[in-house]
Amino acid sequence: MKKLYIEPTKATPEIDFDPEKNILSIKGESYPENSFDFYNPIFEWLENYFDNLANNEKVIFKFDISYLNTSSTKSIMFILDILEEAYENNKNIIINWYYDEDNEFSYEIAENFMEDLNIPFNMIKK
């Protein structure tokens, strides 16, 4: 499977999904004009990735997001739904959410996401 890399822009985060290392990373701010257009290829890549991943392989999903608008929040929730479904299908997934202690938004949104998930979820101060 090919790596998915999308360079960051002023309004979109860096996407760096490496299927060989099983490290998937989203980093930056997210407020694209059309969130669905930006995230749709990411949803498709993730679903294909988990369909082809062996159950014993450990996957680390890193979020380092400093800001999300409302439509991006919905897209991240959809990504988390994909991760949770994969986890429930015996995929070995750990979420590491990095936050800056001076950025309450990042911490609070991570807490809100964590409450709704049954996946190992670590909040890590940068």
Side-chain angles (χ1 to χ4, degrees):
M1 181 164 193
K2 289 178 72 174
K3 181 177 180 168
L4 176 65
Y5 182 78
I6 301 172
E7 289 207 23
T9 68
K10 182 179 174 188
T12 59
E14 176 188 61
I15 306 298
D16 190 2
F17 293 172
D18 186 338
E20 289 185 17
K21 295 180 182 173
N22 293 321
I23 296 176
L24 315 178
S25 173
I26 298 178
K27 183 176 183 177
E29 296 185 342
S30 183
Y31 52 95
E33 249 181 63
N34 188 330
S35 177
F36 186 76
D37 282 350
F38 177 75
Y39 283 99
N40 194 43
I42 297 165
F43 304 150
E44 291 174 5
W45 190 95
L46 285 171
E47 288 173 350
N48 188 29
Y49 170 72
F50 285 117
D51 283 347
N52 294 296
L53 183 72
N55 285 349
N56 60 348
E57 293 189 67
K58 183 177 179 180
V59 176
I60 298 175
F61 204 110
K62 298 178 177 180
F63 288 96
D64 186 353
I65 299 172
S66 54
Y67 177 76
L68 297 169
N69 65 4
T70 302
S71 64
S72 293
T73 300
K74 290 177 184 172
S75 295
I76 296 297
M77 289 171 69
F78 193 77
I79 288 172
L80 293 171
D81 286 344
I82 292 170
L83 297 178
E84 185 156 66
E85 183 179 334
Y87 183 76
E88 289 171 353
N89 288 318
N90 299 316
K91 304 301 183 192
N92 185 4
I93 302 169
I94 296 173
I95 296 173
N96 289 334
W97 187 286
Y98 296 88
Y99 69 94
D100 185 336
E101 65 182 331
D102 294 333
N103 182 345
E104 288 181 27
F105 175 84
S106 180
Y107 183 84
E108 289 175 3
I109 200 160
E111 275 191 327
N112 288 336
F113 287 144
M114 187 170 64
E115 288 174 6
D116 295 331
L117 296 171
N118 294 316
I119 304 174
F121 194 113
N122 303 307
M123 293 179 58
I124 301 168
K125 186 167 47 173
K126 293 194 278 183

